Amino acid sequence: MSHLIITGATGGQTQGAAAPNRLEINDFIKNQDQFSLYVQALTRMYTTSQTNPLSHFAISGIHGLPYVQWEGAGGNRPVQGSQWGGYCTHGSVLFPTWHRPFWPYTRSQVLQQHALDIAKTYQDQRRWVGAAQNLRAPYWDWAIKTVPPPEVISLETVDIITPDGKTTNVPNPLLKYTFKPVDSSFPNPWRSWKTTIRHPDNPRSPNAATDVQGLRDNLASIQGDITSSTYRLLTLVRTWPAFSNHTVGDGDTSSNSLEAIHDKIHAIVGGNMAYPAIAGFDPIFYLHHCNVDRMLSLWSAVNPGVWVSSGPAQGGTFTIPGNATIDDKTNLTPFWNSQTGFWASSGTTATTNLNYTYPEFNNLDLGNVGAVQLAIGNYINRTYGGGQFSLPRRIVPSVNLLAQPPAKDDAPAPVAQVAPKVTAAVSSVKSAAENIAHDVHERVNPSHTTEPEEHEKIPPSSIYDWTARIHAKKYELGDGYMVLIFLGNVPEDPALWCTSTSFVGVHVAFVNSEVEQCANCREQAEIVIEGFVHLNSAIAKVSGLSSYDPSVVGPYLRENLHWRVQAADRSPIDLERLPSLEITAVSNVLTHEPGSLFPISRHREFHHHITHGRLGGARRAHA
């Protein structure tokens, strides 16, 4: 049989860019021509028969259910030794790169073809064909806007320009997908849900509906958690294993992986999105994963030369045995790049070769690695770094010692000029910091406080960065779950946990709910996931403390750091049911080094005594 060759969308051009831009969803909806074509193209995909391999249902099903072969990739059943029925590579070093051809190439390629066909029905074909050629999948930048616009989460209809030239109100395909019909492979209660649902008002009911206000509130509640996690991912993590997936190994930075942050978004959106096997059917899945892909681009720009390393398959997929070792040459099935071969991670390093890019890379000389690294580093600091390492408000309001200020000119420079630019930018931060260095040093390391001998004084350009580290067995409950972290009193009503003033952040085990449909849950029972909830901002906001020093923060956390566990459907889970859970308070000394765009983690300490003796706390009192 012949196969669909995955090329992604083709043609088009963005001024100053090597390929057409993907736009952030808030900007994309303002581009009337592209948005109009996008809405109509999505609708066509939705109304294409579910048995057609190019339908929304069939392409979304690549990610999980109904666990069937797509485009002749692999046999009719998963390979021997594989425990996961879908093609997706969760929990492995291929997580970021497998999703790149899934949405950027396959789905956007099909969408663009629909858009081109629709564009040719407009009177002004030149205008509309041009819009279709420039059409690229939009992304949702949850790192600074966890609540998407109404066009994504609440509007039943939207206004678009139709081929007759009129502004027309049409059903909104970004809100949900209607199954035609629901596939028999779906477990309950999803077998009864005629459409995709987010943050359901009654998660286990066949009559559930999306609770829009609850969705907004819960998404808003994790903004600080997501922003701080994203900034630390992009600035502190330097190795591919620590960056790529949620298994244990953070590179000694107390930073979440890209997959761990991704998992949080899935869980908080909830409903279909909370379960890997059926998440891909929700339209918001693709907005989410386009930003996951964008984070890969940003991280790669500031870590040039670092790419997929070898690692275990972690249970395998439809085509990868569970005991396999995978690397950048492993086939990213089912995505064909020829009639006889598949895409591999080694071929996905540059998005410009894949016919799209992101606005942050516009007007950069992409051949000048140092200039790109500097420009994207400044962008990361400017966009996600504000206030990430500020001191408690009682001392120095919003002082940011470590994150770079935005550069006035992010334009690329010759290699010889890059180092001086970095040094000058760093010097500007150091100069500002030195004006308050003595005052800050006294408050971060107060001389009037009696400190334990093991805590050394830290230099003025450093700060303690506190996190709660969460370790737990991924499949221990046979269902997805969330570990919620609090500073202060925890409400008795679990429905109020995420939106309470004491809530700080969450770590998620993103797994399926039906054990019988996921043998991985049995065969890979010992897999441990790792995640972090960053505490500095919450300490600064609610504690009233005058320092981040362990002698000051330690007693406060011992008294105020709490945790709870919820199922993916938001029902509470007794801690006794998750005996593998271990939460440990950790401090990292982050230092601003001359010549460095980002803070550097110099010393990490586990404060086991803070949580020891409590259910789900540290196993031992001392290291």
Side-chain angles (χ1 to χ4, degrees):
M1 63 175 293
S2 62
H3 307 295
L4 174 68
I5 306 304
I6 305 304
T7 63
T10 59
Q13 183 61 55
T14 296
Q15 186 175 1
N21 277 175
R22 284 182 169 180
L23 300 177
E24 206 280 328
I25 187 61
N26 286 276
D27 297 322
F28 182 77
I29 59 179
K30 298 172 186 175
N31 188 317
Q32 197 171 41
D33 290 3
Q34 289 193 23
F35 182 65
S36 295
L37 291 174
Y38 187 67
V39 166
Q40 293 173 89
L42 272 180
T43 301
R44 283 198 178 187
M45 285 189 71
Y46 289 1
T47 55
T48 301
S49 170
Q50 292 183 173
T51 60
N52 186 319
L54 302 185
S55 67
H56 172 82
F57 181 87
I59 292 176
S60 300
I62 293 171
H63 193 262
L65 286 169
Y67 300 151
V68 296
Q69 182 191 74
W70 190 81
E71 276 295 287
N76 292 320
R77 295 182 180 180
V79 296
Q80 187 174 4
S82 168
Q83 285 84 44
W84 165 242
Y87 288 102
C88 181
T89 57
H90 282 286
S92 83
V93 294
L94 297 184
F95 166 76
T97 51
W98 182 89
H99 285 83
R100 184 159 267 185
F102 177 39
W103 170 232
Y105 311 166
T106 308
R107 187 178 169 86
S108 59
Q109 179 176 336
V110 175
L111 269 170
Q112 189 193 44
Q113 187 55 58
H114 284 304
L116 284 167
D117 292 342
I118 294 166
K120 293 173 183 176
T121 67
Y122 284 78
Q123 185 173 1
D124 186 354
Q125 285 195 21
R126 182 177 179 180
R127 166 187 168 185
W128 289 94
V129 169
Q133 290 174 335
N134 284 317
L135 181 63
R136 295 297 184 271
Y139 65 90
W140 162 34
D141 188 6
W142 29 252
I144 52 173
K145 299 173 184 175
T146 53
V147 181
E151 286 81 357
V152 174
I153 61 171
S154 60
L155 295 181
E156 292 283 348
T157 60
V158 291
D159 289 335
I160 65 170
I161 301 174
T162 45
D164 58 8
K166 297 179 180 178
T167 298
T168 307
N169 193 250
V170 299
N172 179 15
L174 287 171
L175 189 64
K176 59 190 174 184
Y177 169 67
T178 301
F179 297 97
K180 298 177 181 179
V182 177
D183 195 86
S184 60
S185 66
F186 284 22
N188 286 321
W190 303 278
R191 190 176 299 168
S192 303
W193 293 3
K194 305 304 182 185
T195 71
T196 54
I197 295 174
R198 304 164 189 163
H199 196 79
D201 53 4
N202 193 347
R204 293 292 176 181
S205 168
N207 299 314
T210 296
D211 175 3
V212 175
Q213 189 57 52
L215 175 60
R216 282 198 184 99
D217 292 345
N218 277 258
L219 285 170
S221 75
I222 63 164
Q223 183 67 80
D225 183 22
I226 296 298
T227 303
S228 60
S229 292
T230 300
Y231 184 68
R232 285 161 175 82
L233 169 75
L234 295 174
T235 59
L236 297 176
V237 177
R238 293 287 176 264
T239 68
W240 185 266
F243 168 77
S244 63
N245 69 92
H246 56 213
T247 53
V248 175
D250 64 298
D252 295 330
T253 64
S254 298
S255 301
N256 286 299
S257 66
L258 178 63
E259 186 176 19
I261 299 172
H262 148 277
D263 294 349
K264 296 182 190 214
I265 299 295
H266 272 277
I268 296 299
V269 172
N272 293 78
M273 279 282 284
Y275 301 92
I278 55 174
F281 298 103
D282 190 326
I284 204 172
F285 175 97
Y286 299 98
L287 299 175
H288 169 37
H289 270 275
C290 281
N291 200 47
V292 171
D293 181 78
R294 174 171 162 271
M295 291 299 163
L296 169 58
S297 292
L298 296 177
W299 186 84
S300 296
V302 295
N303 293 279
V306 183
W307 198 242
V308 179
S309 56
S310 62
Q314 298 286 21
T317 71
F318 195 93
T319 55
I320 301 174
N323 60 356
T325 297
I326 52 182
D327 58 25
D328 67 335
K329 301 298 190 296
T330 300
N331 288 336
L332 300 179
T333 52
F335 310 114
W336 300 89
N337 67 356
S338 71
Q339 289 298 333
T340 58
F342 298 93
W343 284 94
S345 302
S346 58
T348 65
T349 54
T351 64
T352 53
N353 294 335
L354 310 170
N355 304 312
Y356 70 94
T357 189
Y358 295 100
E360 296 79 17
F361 294 88
N362 292 352
N363 301 310
L364 298 183
D365 176 4
L366 300 182
N368 187 335
V369 174
V372 171
Q373 186 178 30
L374 175 62
I376 298 303
N378 279 325
Y379 172 82
I380 290 168
N381 280 324
R382 178 174 68 247
T383 307
Y384 306 118
Q388 287 301 314
F389 301 110
S390 58
L391 295 176
R393 293 178 186 275
R394 287 179 57 194
I395 301 305
V396 185
S398 300
V399 172
N400 191 336
L401 288 179
L402 300 174
Q404 288 284 97
K408 292 182 179 179
D409 182 8
D410 282 351
V415 173
Q417 297 179 17
V418 171
K421 277 195 173 185
V422 174
T423 302
V426 171
S427 296
S428 68
V429 177
K430 292 288 287 181
S431 177
E434 286 168 358
N435 291 333
I436 57 169
H438 181 270
D439 186 49
V440 167
H441 187 59
E442 280 296 300
R443 288 158 174 78
V444 176
N445 308 272
S447 57
H448 61 274
T449 303
T450 302
E451 302 175 9
E453 292 182 1
E454 64 270 25
H455 299 315
E456 299 180 359
K457 301 286 187 179
I458 63 174
S461 58
S462 300
I463 200 167
Y464 286 105
D465 188 37
W466 287 89
T467 58
R469 187 191 72 165
I470 299 99
H471 270 203
K473 291 182 179 179
K474 183 174 180 178
Y475 300 110
E476 189 160 53
L477 297 178
D479 196 351
Y481 61 88
M482 301 181 285
V483 180
L484 285 68
I485 300 297
F486 302 86
L487 286 182
N489 295 327
V490 181
E492 292 186 9
D493 183 357
L496 302 177
W497 285 352
C498 270
T499 54
S500 68
T501 56
S502 59
F503 174 69
V504 180
V506 63
H507 179 61
V508 172
F510 185 44
V511 300
N512 287 315
S513 64
E514 299 292 323
V515 179
E516 64 270 18
Q517 291 203 343
C518 183
N520 204 356
C521 303
R522 300 189 298 272
E523 303 295 333
Q524 303 295 318
E526 297 305 309
I527 289 179
V528 174
I529 56 174
E530 178 180 60
F532 299 86
V533 171
H534 302 283
L535 304 177
N536 273 38
S537 294
I539 291 172
K541 182 178 180 181
V542 303
S543 71
L545 298 181
S546 60
S547 169
Y548 286 139
D549 187 87
S551 64
V552 177
V553 173
Y556 172 79
L557 292 182
R558 177 71 182 171
E559 183 72 22
N560 292 280
L561 179 62
H562 302 289
W563 50 89
R564 297 289 188 271
V565 179
Q566 278 184 311
D569 65 2
R570 307 194 306 280
S571 60
I573 294 175
D574 291 336
L575 293 177
E576 291 86 352
R577 292 184 54 201
L578 194 63
S580 66
L581 178 63
E582 183 175 17
I583 295 175
T584 310
V586 185
S587 66
N588 278 56
V589 175
L590 300 183
T591 302
H592 190 281
E593 296 287 347
S596 175
L597 273 172
F598 302 134
I600 297 171
S601 179
R602 287 303 189 196
H603 175 70
R604 179 163 74 166
E605 184 175 356
F606 292 83
H607 303 267
H608 299 281
H609 68 283
I610 289 176
T611 60
H612 178 68
R614 291 189 278 168
L615 202 58
R619 298 285 186 268
R620 57 189 186 277
H622 303 285

